[in-house]
Amino acid sequence: MMPFWLRQLIPGYQLPKGRWQHLAEPYKGDEVVVLDCETSIFDKKKGELLSIAAVCVKGGEIRLSQALDLVVNSNAITDPDAVRVHYLRREDRHKGVAVSEAIENLLDFVGNRPIVGYYIDYDRAILNRYIRQLYNFELPNRFIDVADLYTLRKRRVHPQMPVGLKFEDIAEDLKVPVIERHTAMGDVISTALMYIKLVHFKR
């Protein structure tokens, strides 16, 4: 992933301003936010946001009492394969919040803390598309991918060993339960447990 300092050199790159300018400040704490999105189709350029979940992790603690779990009110035409994965039907989505409210709540929740996820580049691309439309900037946060952490750990011990990077394979190897797979909150909790284990092993 391109580091933040390098992204700022891209012509036309916009820093957060006004209410959101604190997002670009260096983070000095010891927390991360684990995040996951579900979308209408599996395409980072066209997929529409259907749900967002996020939890704060501090050390080995997942702070579920402070979790963010939002369904977006969307009339997006949904790929039947996607519905079979995340189970978000149109009637379920009609009870959700406006996408602008979901993005606003997410930015308030995340702040300038590092963001963790499984193949987080996809979630990052989806969210940045909406944030650009609403506020004319992109997330400046540091991003951490558990798939990358897992690969580094495996290759350090077995350099020639092929690494399986399926969500379920990583969870099984780390002895982490897969909780309500392909729901945003279920994936977030499992990913948070993976992160805690990987960072512990790294240390």
Side-chain angles (χ1 to χ4, degrees):
M1 297 180 190
M2 187 182 297
F4 177 57
W5 67 267
L6 186 55
R7 274 183 277 143
Q8 294 181 78
L9 302 179
I10 299 174
Y13 184 84
Q14 297 290 324
L15 287 170
K17 296 177 182 177
R19 174 181 174 182
W20 309 114
Q21 64 184 8
H22 67 284
L23 301 181
E25 297 173 0
Y27 181 66
K28 299 177 181 179
D30 58 353
E31 299 175 347
V32 299
V33 173
V34 182
L35 179 151
D36 183 72
C37 302
E38 300 296 336
T39 55
S40 58
I41 59 174
F42 303 118
D43 184 327
K44 64 184 179 182
K45 294 182 179 180
K46 298 178 181 179
E48 295 192 37
L49 190 61
L50 302 183
S51 66
I52 308 173
V55 295
C56 172
V57 172
K58 182 180 176 66
E61 179 186 359
I62 302 172
R63 298 187 168 180
L64 285 175
S65 62
Q66 302 169 16
L68 183 76
D69 190 7
L70 298 172
V71 173
V72 174
N73 188 338
S74 169
N75 286 316
I77 297 174
T78 309
D79 186 328
D81 290 335
V83 174
R84 282 193 289 270
V85 168
H86 54 56
Y87 306 111
L88 286 171
R89 304 166 301 166
R90 186 170 293 184
E91 51 266 40
D92 300 322
R93 291 180 259 138
H94 284 167
K95 302 173 185 177
V97 301
V99 68
S100 57
E101 182 181 345
I103 294 295
E104 181 181 15
N105 288 343
L106 179 70
L107 292 175
D108 279 334
F109 183 87
V110 172
N112 64 337
R113 294 179 290 191
I115 297 172
V116 176
Y118 171 75
Y119 284 123
I120 193 64
D121 267 348
Y122 180 81
D123 305 87
R124 178 183 184 177
I126 294 292
L127 293 172
N128 276 339
R129 207 174 76 224
Y130 285 96
I131 294 168
R132 281 194 302 269
Q133 293 170 1
L134 290 167
Y135 303 115
N136 197 33
F137 70 87
E138 295 184 358
L139 286 165
N141 307 61
R142 178 188 171 208
F143 283 79
I144 303 167
D145 196 319
V146 294
D148 291 341
L149 293 178
Y150 179 76
T151 299
L152 288 172
R153 177 195 164 196
K154 282 293 186 181
R155 292 269 163 81
R156 191 177 293 119
V157 180
H158 304 290
Q160 306 303 321
M161 180 180 177
V163 179
L165 294 179
K166 289 184 178 179
F167 189 92
E168 293 83 353
D169 292 343
I170 297 175
E172 182 179 2
D173 187 40
L174 295 175
K175 295 180 174 57
V176 164
V178 175
I179 302 168
E180 295 182 357
R181 180 71 172 118
H182 291 300
T183 63
M185 182 52 70
D187 285 354
V188 156
I189 295 171
S190 295
T191 303
L193 292 169
M194 292 179 194
Y195 173 78
I196 290 169
K197 282 214 164 187
L198 286 165
V199 171
H200 171 74
F201 284 132
K202 184 178 178 182
R203 289 174 179 170

